[in-house]
Amino acid sequence: IAVLDGAGTGAKARRSAMMAVALLSSAFKLPLDELLVRCHNAILNSTCERAVEMCLMRITPQLVEFVGIGNMGIASRSEPAMSFPMQNGSAGLALPKPIHITQNPRPNKFCFALHSDGVSEKNVTSFLSEENASAHRIAQLTFDSNSIANDDSTIVVVKG
């Protein structure tokens, strides 16, 4: 699961983000830190002029793994509660050293909302507690109340 945001606006930001999307799509089975490094190197060694901030999450039957860099966000609701710290940096500009991968045992029930900086963090968690709402509905409610005018907003909600 990935949420990416190219720095700035327009074609240059889109080109950098699409380069990262292509790399993530073709190598998604690699460890999250390696995916981040590969995206960083690909953007850095290309003609793309913009960095990319991102959240990467992998959910397996046993684990929830996460890495996030830049001005992105994640809200979570689970038992037990989980924390997913963001790190400074961006692919194509400067990666954190070391890259910290958060790993938690996968809970039976969970709801995560990964989002770009075009989504205000206020009240995001409150929508995650809507037990009977679908992931699509939670994303809709979050977008309708938290998207920032004049900015791109990306929200991915995952329920299990």
Side-chain angles (χ1 to χ4, degrees), residues 98-116:
I99 297 170
H100 178 72
I101 305 297
T102 302
Q103 293 185 329
N104 291 294
R106 179 184 166 179
N108 290 329
K109 292 180 82 174
F110 58 84
C111 187
F112 306 125
L114 292 74
H115 60 84
S116 67

Side-chain angles (χ1 to χ4, degrees), residues 14-137:
R14 182 174 47 255
R15 206 167 34 249
S16 292
M18 292 310 294
M19 177 178 280
V21 166
L23 194 145
L24 292 170
S25 296
S26 67
F28 64 91
K29 291 184 179 184
L30 293 174
L32 297 183
D33 55 344
E34 191 172 331
L35 286 171
L36 199 53
V37 169
R38 285 190 182 200
C39 286
H40 173 72
N41 289 334
I43 294 166
L44 195 61
N45 295 317
S46 73
T47 58
C48 294
E49 299 174 15
R50 306 291 177 156
V52 177
E53 298 174 338
M54 63 181 77
C55 292
L56 303 176
M57 178 177 271
R58 178 175 288 136
I59 302 171
T60 69
Q62 297 81 26
L63 283 175
V64 176
E65 297 179 293
F66 175 81
V67 63
I69 60 168
N71 192 20
M72 305 289 280
I74 178 169
S76 70
R77 181 168 166 78
S78 64
E79 291 296 332
M82 292 185 216
S83 174
F84 298 101
M86 295 297 299
Q87 300 167 81
N88 292 327
S90 54
L93 185 61
L95 288 181
K97 293 186 184 182
I99 297 170
H100 178 72
I101 305 297
T102 302
Q103 293 185 329
N104 291 294
R106 179 184 166 179
N108 290 329
K109 292 180 82 174
F110 58 84
C111 187
F112 306 125
L114 292 74
H115 60 84
S116 67
D117 64 349
V119 177
S120 168
E121 300 225 357
K122 66 175 179 127
N123 301 326
V124 172
T125 307
S126 67
F127 297 115
L128 302 182
S129 61
E130 299 277 338
E131 286 277 329
N132 297 322
S134 66
H136 180 265
R137 180 67 180 144

